[in-house]
Amino acid sequence: MLISTAAGGVDPTVWIPVVLRPIARQAAGPVLRGVSTGVRAAFVERVRQAGGDLAFLGTRFVAFGDPAVSPAVVDFLERIIRATPVGVVAAFYLTLLSHDERASLGVLGRVPVSVVAAEQDRLVPAEHSDELAEQIPGAELVRVPGAGHAIILERPDLINRVITGLVARATSPDVPRASTA
């Protein structure tokens, strides 16, 4: 199951206003490398801990499509993000810039696959999920209007139904099995 993801070509600045994206793209790598360890990392962590209200609002805007999402759910995700060390965030961001697994997608056609696209995803636009589903033979595409990047938290019942359907398809006697010999 692939949820709010892409095989490559993700622009981590897509949620930033267009005029600021080139600056953000150019500055992000050096800035993140510079603040991911040592004294600078400790300073960044203190600032992150102090910015609770702004972090809450930013998390709600970037991660969720539904403005009526429960504040408890937003707070839960914001606390998880805040607990992730800045060095981990920096390494993930830098890896994401060069991530490209599109050439490998055909292999996934050997097993049932569901691709879930949140139509209000500000981090990974739904078009990336469309591309995944098109390139994976037999993949099921589920587009969810009004949901954002944190669709697992925003629409848990729907995600559970998709998982249940995927398991049913994977365990069906009609699904070809790979040989073990």
Side-chain angles (χ1 to χ4, degrees), residues 26-87:
Q26 210 167 29
V31 167
L32 287 170
R33 278 187 209 93
V35 301
S36 63
T37 59
V39 175
R40 290 181 182 151
F43 174 74
V44 169
E45 294 298 350
R46 282 195 300 276
V47 169
R48 287 174 73 197
Q49 298 303 317
D53 289 344
L54 287 176
F56 177 90
L57 294 172
T59 299
R60 185 168 60 186
F61 174 75
V62 173
F64 297 95
D66 182 355
V69 68
S70 166
V73 173
V74 177
D75 185 60
F76 171 74
L77 180 58
E78 191 276 320
R79 283 185 286 124
I80 290 171
I81 293 168
R82 193 174 352 126
T84 305
V86 70

Side-chain angles (χ1 to χ4, degrees), residues 17-178:
V18 175
V19 297
L20 298 177
R21 288 180 195 168
I23 297 165
R25 285 185 198 116
Q26 210 167 29
V31 167
L32 287 170
R33 278 187 209 93
V35 301
S36 63
T37 59
V39 175
R40 290 181 182 151
F43 174 74
V44 169
E45 294 298 350
R46 282 195 300 276
V47 169
R48 287 174 73 197
Q49 298 303 317
D53 289 344
L54 287 176
F56 177 90
L57 294 172
T59 299
R60 185 168 60 186
F61 174 75
V62 173
F64 297 95
D66 182 355
V69 68
S70 166
V73 173
V74 177
D75 185 60
F76 171 74
L77 180 58
E78 191 276 320
R79 283 185 286 124
I80 290 171
I81 293 168
R82 193 174 352 126
T84 305
V86 70
V88 173
V89 174
F92 176 78
Y93 177 89
L94 296 170
T95 300
L96 185 61
L97 294 177
S98 62
H99 174 75
D100 193 340
E101 297 297 328
R102 290 177 276 207
S104 304
L105 292 176
V107 172
L108 292 177
R110 297 178 186 168
V111 295
V113 173
S114 294
V115 178
V116 180
E119 291 188 354
Q120 298 301 314
D121 192 330
R122 292 181 179 92
L123 296 174
V124 180
E127 292 74 26
H128 286 280
S129 296
D130 295 344
E131 179 184 326
L132 284 172
E134 288 171 10
Q135 293 184 20
I136 300 170
E140 168 195 37
L141 175 63
V142 179
R143 273 181 152 255
V144 184
H149 190 70
I151 190 171
I152 293 172
L153 298 174
E154 199 168 6
R155 302 280 201 287
D157 293 339
L158 179 136
I159 296 299
N160 286 339
R161 285 193 303 274
V162 174
I163 291 170
T164 300
L166 179 61
V167 169
R169 287 195 329 272
T171 58
S172 167
D174 299 332
V175 174
R177 304 283 177 231

